[in-house]
Amino acid sequence: MSLLTPARTLAAPGCRALLPGLLKDHRRIVLVRGGSALWAEDLARALSAFAEVEVILHHGEPKDSDVTAALARLRPFGAEAVVAVGGGSILDLGKALAGLLAGDGALMDHLEVVGRGLPLTRDPLPLYALPTTAGTGAEATKNAVIDVTAHRRKVSLRDPRLLPRVALLDAALTIGTPWPVTLAAGMDAVTQLVEPALSRNATPETDALCLPAIRPAMAALLRLEQGEDPAARDTLLRAAHLSGIALANAGLGAVHGFAGVLGGLTGAPHGAICARLLPPVLEANRAAMAKAGLSLARFDAVEREICAAFGTTGPAPALLRVFIDRNALPRLGAMGLAEAQLDEVAEQAQAASSMKPNPVTLSPAQLRAILVEAL
């Protein structure tokens, strides 16, 4: 099996300086950047020396209205390439624009679940992605997550051709990220290593990516809990990148099946939702698989790696709960989920695309119990 990956990945200190040279043959470039990606200002000046540059400055997760407004502004520009510099949400916006600017379709034509789910009609524009947080691995995935406000859901524009032409991993861009952001993003990366490792679509190739990365990713997060550490930043960024490749090839599971629904419903940070759900989902999946007489070898391997990062024995869900509790990550109720919404959320999560690779099919009652535990 050949893995879906970015056409080219560069991972080294200072590799961001290579970007202008990679773009030298493009004459109209869209630069999508977040407000905290200050280096992007220098990049815009460097690109302006040989190309026309349109800058999209965006804050927060991309909504469907943001994508539609950007398309209206950019289509007359005739872009030849898209550069995205920022966290996972910025990279998702960049991917959506790269995919849609190449054609003339509307966003809702191509969104899954709440849209028509049509394939893209043309190859996306070349995309160059530089993550400034270590979490989603969006620079290595084939989907762009969009918040559709009318439906209060986060859903994806998905196409294998949305994988970036070049992903540049320069951990210096992540140094100084506030701890709450580092924590939420890092727990997303850990979850994205755990779920593909347990996925019913797992392969030897995705196992080779995930299993060796879980322990160093969690250990790096534990080091960063104590203070800034450039080596830990680099480890976590690389782990997040591997998690993106893994999920693009093996899918995710119940944590992310819930996360898309809860993110659209509450507006809470994606990584915080994942962190709060990971322990009860691990417990529910293990119990359901044991009851069904299925092998727990994968669970044992994953939990050993988590426990090793903490330097102790399990159970892994208990160790994760202690970690997220001492860092005051809110429970789902504090994020805005009401008890009256539990059945609706469980029903919507069960139908989510990310739920399908979960290692065992969980009933509505089991899904509701997970939410109750995390509420």
Side-chain angles (χ1 to χ4, degrees):
M1 173 184 174
S2 60
L3 290 170
L4 286 171
T5 66
R8 185 179 182 189
T9 299
L10 303 173
C15 67
R16 63 187 186 274
L18 301 174
L19 189 54
L22 296 172
L23 287 157
K24 60 181 172 52
D25 293 330
H26 300 297
R27 292 296 172 260
R28 292 184 180 87
I29 299 169
V30 173
L31 172 60
V32 184
R33 52 159 296 199
S36 61
L38 299 180
W39 172 76
E41 296 177 4
D42 295 332
L43 174 61
R45 285 191 288 271
L47 297 179
S48 296
F50 58 84
E52 295 180 58
V53 180
E54 282 285 339
V55 178
I56 300 293
L57 178 62
H58 185 75
H59 301 272
E61 296 181 337
K63 301 184 185 306
D64 55 321
S65 56
D66 299 322
V67 177
T68 300
L71 288 173
R73 172 184 161 188
L74 293 172
R75 278 192 163 135
F77 177 59
E80 298 175 4
V82 176
V83 180
V85 183
S89 295
I90 297 299
L91 301 188
D92 279 345
L93 179 57
K95 283 191 284 186
L97 294 177
L100 295 169
L101 284 171
D104 55 9
L107 173 64
M108 293 302 292
D109 290 339
H110 305 288
L111 281 181
E112 62 186 23
V113 182
V114 301
R116 298 175 66 193
L118 298 175
L120 295 174
T121 57
R122 298 181 184 176
D123 289 342
L125 298 179
L127 175 66
Y128 300 77
L130 291 85
T132 61
T133 59
T136 68
E139 75 285 350
T141 63
K142 58 186 177 183
N143 65 303
V145 179
I146 307 298
D147 185 351
V148 183
T149 53
H151 293 269
R152 303 184 74 185
R153 292 285 298 273
K154 291 181 183 178
V155 297
S156 285
L157 169 65
R158 193 182 304 272
D159 190 298
R161 294 170 295 174
L162 288 178
L163 285 161
R165 174 174 291 188
V166 179
L168 293 98
L169 308 182
D170 190 338
L173 292 175
T174 72
I175 291 175
T177 303
W179 170 241
V181 177
T182 298
L183 172 61
M187 284 304 300
D188 187 22
V190 170
T191 303
Q192 290 179 174
L193 291 167
V194 168
E195 290 202 297
L198 299 176
S199 166
R200 64 182 71 192
N201 296 333
T203 67
E205 291 82 3
T206 57
D207 286 347
L209 295 177
C210 295
L211 290 173
I214 292 171
R215 185 189 311 189
M218 191 68 230
L221 201 51
L222 289 165
R223 290 201 303 276
L224 289 165
E225 182 185 20
Q226 306 304 314
E228 192 58 81
D229 185 324
R233 292 279 187 196
D234 186 69
T235 296
L236 197 56
L237 182 61
R238 291 169 186 263
H241 184 69
L242 293 178
S243 82
I245 297 173
L247 76 87
N249 288 273
L252 291 161
V255 173
H256 280 81
F258 278 123
V261 178
L262 290 170
L265 184 66
T266 68
H270 174 77
I273 293 172
C274 291
R276 186 51 72 180
L277 285 169
L278 181 57
V281 165
L282 285 173
E283 291 169 338
N285 277 336
R286 177 181 274 278
M289 292 188 73
K291 185 176 181 179
L294 300 173
S295 172
L296 295 174
R298 284 185 172 275
F299 270 86
D300 292 338
V302 166
E303 293 204 17
R304 278 196 300 270
E305 294 304 314
I306 294 172
C307 294
F310 286 93
T312 185
T313 55
L319 295 172
L320 291 168
R321 277 196 187 91
V322 169
F323 173 67
I324 62 179
D325 284 343
R326 75 169 176 251
N327 283 287
L329 275 171
R331 300 187 70 82
L332 297 184
M335 295 183 197
L337 178 64
E339 188 170 357
Q341 297 171 306
L342 297 187
D343 290 333
E344 177 189 1
V345 169
E347 180 182 355
Q348 291 184 5
Q350 193 169 43
S353 59
S354 292
M355 185 69 76
K356 291 178 174 61
N358 198 60
V360 63
T361 300
L362 298 173
S363 69
Q366 290 168 318
L367 294 173
R368 191 183 195 281
I370 292 169
L371 293 171
V372 168
E373 196 285 331
L375 192 61

